[in-house]
Amino acid sequence: MLIHRIAAQLYTAEALQTVEAGLDAGEDVTLAVSQSGRTLMAAAQFARRPRPTVYVVSGEDAADRAARSLAAYVGLAHVCRFPERKDYPWREQVPDDAVVAQRCEALGRIVRGDNCIMVASARALLRCVPPVESRYWESTTFAVGEEIPFDEVPQRLVGMGYTNAGAADAPGLFRVHGDTVEVFPAQEKAPVRIEFFGDEIDRIRRMVSSTGQTIGNEDSIEIFPCRELALTDEAVHNMHVALYRASQDDSKLAALLEMVDARIVTPELDRFLPVMYGQTVSPLAHVSGKALVVLSEPRSLFDDCLRAYEDIEARAGEAGIDRLDGLYVRAQQLDFGAQQRLNYVSLIRAGGAVTAELKIEQPAIAGSDNRFMTRIQEVVGKRYACVFAIPDRGARESMELTFGDEGITFEHIRMDEVLTPFVVNSFYFCDKDGKTDYVQSREALPVDDRTPGFGATTFCDIEATNCHAAAAYITGLPESKVTRLTFQDVHVTFADDAEPFVPAMACGVEPMVRQGIIAQNVKVLDLQNVVIEGQDGEELQLQNVDKVVRS
């Protein structure tokens, strides 16, 4: 992945070598680094030393941004959110099943030692959960070929907080229909249908929640609880000891105890957490001792917790609740654990010892193309590793054209799940005049000051996997051909389930799938050790290309 390349460059810095040495020695370390660079630092550290990691920031918005940023670097599969719950134990309010399941999934993955990053705001850690021995977060996995008594499946789902409903069209719901169980895993985006043959799981299929249509097979499905409690034998016993006498005169309590006996987990049980377990804990108490806890600005984390607890206290007072013991951890008592710790603090700080300082330069690149290229050439000349975050495809193509004018080399790049890894498009149609006859004409027009050009460009040491449309789609202008394109040590493969896509934003271009190198209006196409695997048809589809060099 690209992050490995970035990490290798970053860790040539003395500050990061000092941090890494401290972590390798089992020490807690503190790095002074600007806010903008912290997720990159965390991603690079994770890429070099994958381990269960808890990344704590101040505020839910910041946690969302950090999770997105980390996922962009290390991949969605390696990042999980531990969101704040917005419901309160004393209210008759059904919690958001998806939020609770997200919390269970994130904590469960960290506890069992998965190499992933759990991102949480400090305030999300205030709500108490059952003690470590409860293993309340434990998931259930259903796999094709597995044998499980069919009648036990609904009981198991109910015990995890799922509701038997008429349709599995929302997170936390399931239904039994004939010899199938349809369930919407609360941490997922879509439901699944588990088909049984007797007591054996015959097939698992993904579903469209709105229509019930099945759209693909799965070998297995992991389902996380959507309640943060577990009705262990001890918890059930404690509930009876504490509430049995009162339940004799209270029909609601009596009904609740009956559901507890049946191991039915309901939202009403949240307020009885201290009764069930005697002692509750912070979610961080469950975290593996092998995990790394990363705190972004520890002082601001305390402030975040303090504000959140004061708000919770005020809401509880309005509801007539005067004690939050066992339901929430006070800000002053929140312990971020005994695990190894990496702290990120501001470069501008009021005292406090740090292990190392790292300054990050963000070049000012606004303005004309000339100014932009001058600044980029400066940082490249200093051997900086440059990373461009450009979410818009049109802006990427525009930048590529700018680089092409300057003869810049693209090297050491890894791409995955891209439509077309290499695109040179002289007929780009997303500008204001992009769909005019002048821009879209394929005829040779007179050359004037409006005519764009694309200079010599080199692509070196690039691997693109799981591509879809084409290996490369190159179109120069008939009156202003691409000067020279050099591809050196390039490897392209296509996805097994590749789908047709339009390879470039230009009028008249049709969707295509698994095509090789398509090149039009090029002076020299230089291919050195270029390997394309899995394309349909000819590897090279050329039109008006003056010279092809292969080696």
Side-chain angles (χ1 to χ4, degrees):
M1 294 179 69
L2 177 61
I3 187 59
H4 294 96
R5 163 74 177 163
I6 297 173
Q9 181 71 16
L10 287 173
Y11 275 79
T12 60
E14 183 178 349
L16 292 183
Q17 292 175 13
T18 303
V19 168
E20 188 169 53
L23 292 175
D24 288 346
E27 302 169 356
D28 292 344
V29 298
T30 299
L31 175 66
V33 62
S34 62
Q35 180 76 34
S36 62
R38 291 175 186 174
T39 53
L40 176 57
M41 296 303 108
Q45 173 62 37
F46 180 82
R48 288 175 69 85
R49 300 285 190 274
R51 63 191 287 193
T53 301
V54 179
Y55 189 86
V56 187
V57 299
S58 174
E60 282 292 288
D61 289 343
D64 286 337
R65 290 194 298 271
R68 288 194 297 269
S69 178
L70 287 165
Y73 287 124
V74 303
L76 283 170
H78 294 293
V79 178
C80 47
R81 272 284 277 122
F82 187 89
E84 179 188 16
R85 288 183 62 169
K86 300 295 186 181
D87 60 300
Y88 299 97
W90 55 83
R91 286 186 181 172
E92 292 186 2
Q93 174 187 359
V94 177
D96 187 325
D97 290 343
V99 167
V100 178
Q102 263 190 292
R103 288 165 62 96
C104 289
E105 179 187 20
L107 192 59
R109 293 183 63 186
I110 292 293
V111 175
R112 68 192 186 195
D114 289 5
N115 289 333
C116 65
I117 304 174
M118 181 181 102
V119 183
S121 66
R123 62 177 55 215
L125 302 170
L126 292 178
R127 184 153 178 161
C128 292
V129 296
V132 175
E133 58 271 16
S134 69
R135 298 179 68 85
Y136 75 91
W137 42 262
E138 208 155 47
S139 64
T140 292
T141 298
F142 296 97
V144 173
E146 176 188 10
E147 288 194 7
I148 174 175
F150 182 78
D151 293 340
E152 288 185 9
V153 177
Q155 297 174 18
R156 188 176 298 187
L157 292 172
V158 168
M160 297 169 69
Y162 286 74
T163 301
N164 192 347
D169 55 0
L173 302 182
F174 76 94
R175 78 160 185 160
V176 180
H177 182 66
D179 57 358
T180 68
V181 177
E182 296 174 358
V183 58
F184 201 133
Q187 84 282 2
E188 296 287 350
K189 302 297 184 185
V192 295
R193 176 177 296 159
I194 306 173
E195 300 176 3
F196 282 79
F197 184 77
D199 289 335
E200 180 180 346
I201 297 177
D202 184 52
R203 187 164 60 168
I204 300 174
R205 293 177 61 78
R206 297 190 305 276
M207 297 173 57
V208 178
S209 59
S210 58
T211 64
Q213 177 187 3
T214 56
I215 54 176
N217 294 329
E218 297 286 351
D219 294 328
S220 63
I221 183 68
E222 185 175 19
I223 300 175
F224 281 88
C226 54
R227 297 289 179 266
E228 286 187 301
L229 53 86
L231 290 176
T232 61
D233 291 341
E234 183 179 0
V236 172
H237 173 74
N238 290 342
M239 284 285 286
H240 272 279
V241 170
L243 301 177
Y244 178 75
R245 183 170 297 177
S247 70
Q248 300 304 298
D249 301 317
D250 189 326
S251 59
K252 287 187 177 180
L253 272 183
L256 186 64
L257 285 181
E258 287 182 8
M259 286 191 286
V260 168
D261 286 335
R263 300 301 198 272
I264 299 174
V265 178
T266 64
E268 294 86 354
L269 291 176
D270 280 350
R271 68 178 184 271
F272 294 106
L273 222 59
V275 173
M276 281 189 278
Y277 301 106
Q279 182 179 10
T280 55
V281 297
S282 160
L284 287 180
H286 288 257
V287 174
S288 164
K290 297 179 180 180
L292 175 66
V293 176
V294 181
L295 304 182
S296 181
E297 209 67 64
R299 292 180 183 179
S300 68
L301 301 186
F302 175 77
D303 293 339
D304 184 36
C305 289
L306 194 60
R307 289 191 299 270
Y309 191 85
E310 288 173 352
D311 179 64
I312 293 166
E313 212 169 25
R315 292 175 184 272
E318 293 171 0
I321 307 296
D322 57 359
R323 290 179 61 86
L324 295 176
D325 297 344
L327 296 176
Y328 291 91
V329 180
R330 291 182 179 274
Q332 299 86 340
Q333 297 171 339
L334 183 61
D335 183 359
F336 288 107
Q339 296 83 2
Q340 190 177 23
R341 191 173 300 177
L342 169 58
N343 300 315
Y344 293 138
V345 298
S346 172
L347 287 163
I348 305 173
R349 61 193 184 284
V354 298
T355 307
E357 293 186 5
L358 181 69
K359 294 183 179 179
I360 295 176
E361 184 171 352
Q362 291 183 297
I365 58 175
S368 67
D369 286 351
N370 288 339
R371 181 185 177 189
F372 167 72
M373 290 309 305
T374 299
R375 194 69 186 98
I376 294 302
Q377 286 171 340
E378 285 178 11
V379 294
V380 170
K382 295 177 183 178
R383 305 304 297 169
Y384 276 79
C386 297
V387 180
F388 297 93
I390 312 172
D392 179 72
R393 178 176 175 178
R396 289 197 299 272
E397 291 188 356
S398 177
M399 178 173 283
E400 187 176 28
L401 286 168
T402 302
F403 283 168
D405 292 341
E406 300 294 329
I408 284 180
T409 297
F410 298 84
E411 61 180 349
H412 312 307
I413 298 173
R414 302 293 178 263
M415 294 180 270
D416 186 48
E417 283 288 348
V418 293
L419 306 185
T420 306
F422 304 99
V423 178
V424 177
N425 179 15
S426 298
F427 300 97
Y428 176 64
F429 64 23
C430 289
D431 290 329
K432 291 182 179 180
D433 62 346
K435 294 187 179 181
T436 62
D437 291 342
Y438 175 78
V439 173
Q440 292 302 317
S441 173
R442 267 48 172 188
E443 301 295 326
L445 301 177
V447 176
D448 55 29
D449 57 2
R450 297 176 297 171
T451 306
F454 197 96
T457 304
T458 299
F459 302 94
C460 179
D461 183 23
I462 298 177
E463 182 171 5
T465 56
N466 294 308
C467 301
H468 288 259
Y473 190 87
I474 302 156
T475 54
L477 295 174
E479 68 273 19
S480 178
K481 293 183 177 180
V482 175
T483 305
R484 184 186 188 101
L485 289 180
T486 300
F487 294 85
Q488 181 180 352
D489 298 326
V490 171
H491 183 203
V492 178
T493 62
F494 291 93
D496 293 336
D497 57 350
E499 299 179 16
F501 287 97
V502 174
M505 291 172 149
C507 294
V509 180
E510 297 296 327
M512 59 184 64
V513 63
R514 291 197 186 94
Q515 297 301 297
I517 296 176
I518 300 171
Q520 302 170 354
N521 304 320
V522 179
K523 289 183 179 179
V524 179
L525 183 62
D526 187 354
L527 307 175
Q528 303 174 28
N529 190 27
V530 174
V531 178
I532 302 174
E533 297 182 29
Q535 86 277 359
D536 294 337
E538 295 295 326
E539 183 179 74
L540 299 180
Q541 301 176 39
L542 309 179
Q543 181 180 346
N544 201 17
V545 175
D546 297 342
K547 183 178 181 180
V548 177
V549 179
R550 298 209 69 163
S551 59

